[in-house]
Amino acid sequence: NAGVTQTPKFQVLKTGQSMTLQCAQDMNHNSMYWYRQDPGMGLRLIYYSASEGTTDKGEVPNGYNVSRLNKREFSLRLESAAPSQTSVYFCASSDTGVYSPLHFGNGTRLTVT
Amino acid sequence: AQSVAQPEDQVNVAEGNPLTVKCTYSVSGNPYLFWYVQYPNRGLQFLLKYITGDNLVKGSYGFEAEFNKSQTSFHLKKPSALVSDSALYFCAVRDRLAGANNLFFGTGTRLTVIP
């Protein structure tokens, strides 16, 4: 009963380095999301995928790219990390429908020095 | 534009007492409203939602929330708090007319239940 699995759990990068955050869900959900969580700011949507093969920008997409590899997997890539991208990143998935709740992974804590 | 306000960063309540975590919202149309809870080093977990119908919604772990359209509020409540309820609580809103990506979260309220 894994739900939404994110890897890695922790990561430290130097400014300018790149990395990919991985996310997979086993609930057969169509929609997947990437959020970042910063103190005092709640969760902000980075990118969203309504279904396999589609992606859309959210509130804070600059500096990020995403790939919806298949129905299960949705990755987030930082091409050139910046200290402003230090945050906790959450992947989530949901059924289709605006009233469907989101199911979250346990997060990736990223520090960019 | 959509927005959510959680006016209290921190709420302290004694174990066994009733608790309330406040949320107000702003949307253009009619809202879908959600409450999530986050325990340390974990992702958010869904507690309950309001779609339509009865203004009092019951959810997981004995929590309930009351939708008040005139006050644009959706406060989270529990009749008797447990120490294990201590966590970070988020309110979220989505306008029914907006796309599925338009789910806006509040900044969170940290609930501490004192033994």
Side-chain angles (χ1 to χ4, degrees), chain A residues 37 45 98-99 102 105-106, chain B residues 32 36 38 42-43 49 94:
Chain A
Q37 182 179 27
L45 183 65
V98 294
Y99 48 82
L102 272 60
N106 286 333
Chain B
Y32 292 119
Y36 290 83
Q38 185 180 30
R42 302 295 298 274
K49 65 182 177 183
R94 178 181 277 144

Side-chain angles (χ1 to χ4, degrees), chain A residues 3-77:
Chain A
V4 179
T5 303
Q6 291 183 237
T7 56
K9 293 183 179 180
F10 302 95
Q11 184 72 49
V12 179
L13 292 177
K14 296 186 186 302
T15 298
Q17 288 185 319
S18 62
M19 78 161 295
T20 299
L21 282 65
Q22 307 287 354
C23 175
Q25 53 93 7
D26 62 2
M27 294 173 283
N28 202 37
H29 287 160
N30 284 317
S31 300
M32 296 187 74
Y33 312 77
W34 277 104
Y35 285 89
R36 59 178 290 173
Q37 182 179 27
D38 301 293
M41 301 190 73
L43 276 78
R44 292 180 292 169
L45 183 65
I46 304 171
Y47 269 94
Y48 157 73
S49 172
S51 62
E52 184 179 351
T54 68
T55 60
D56 289 291
K57 294 179 180 179
E59 184 182 356
V60 289
N62 291 342
Y64 305 95
N65 286 301
V66 291
S67 295
R68 184 73 183 267
L69 304 170
N70 48 54
K71 191 171 185 177
R72 289 187 64 248
E73 298 173 289
F74 188 38
S75 63
L76 178 72
R77 183 161 178 82

Side-chain angles (χ1 to χ4, degrees), chain B residues 26-47:
Chain B
S26 174
V27 295
S28 301
N30 291 316
Y32 292 119
L33 292 155
F34 304 82
W35 275 102
Y36 290 83
V37 60
Q38 185 180 30
Y39 298 102
N41 300 313
R42 302 295 298 274
L44 279 69
Q45 296 177 31
F46 168 70
L47 277 179

Side-chain angles (χ1 to χ4, degrees), chain B residues 6 106 111:
Chain B
Q6 292 182 244
L111 173 68

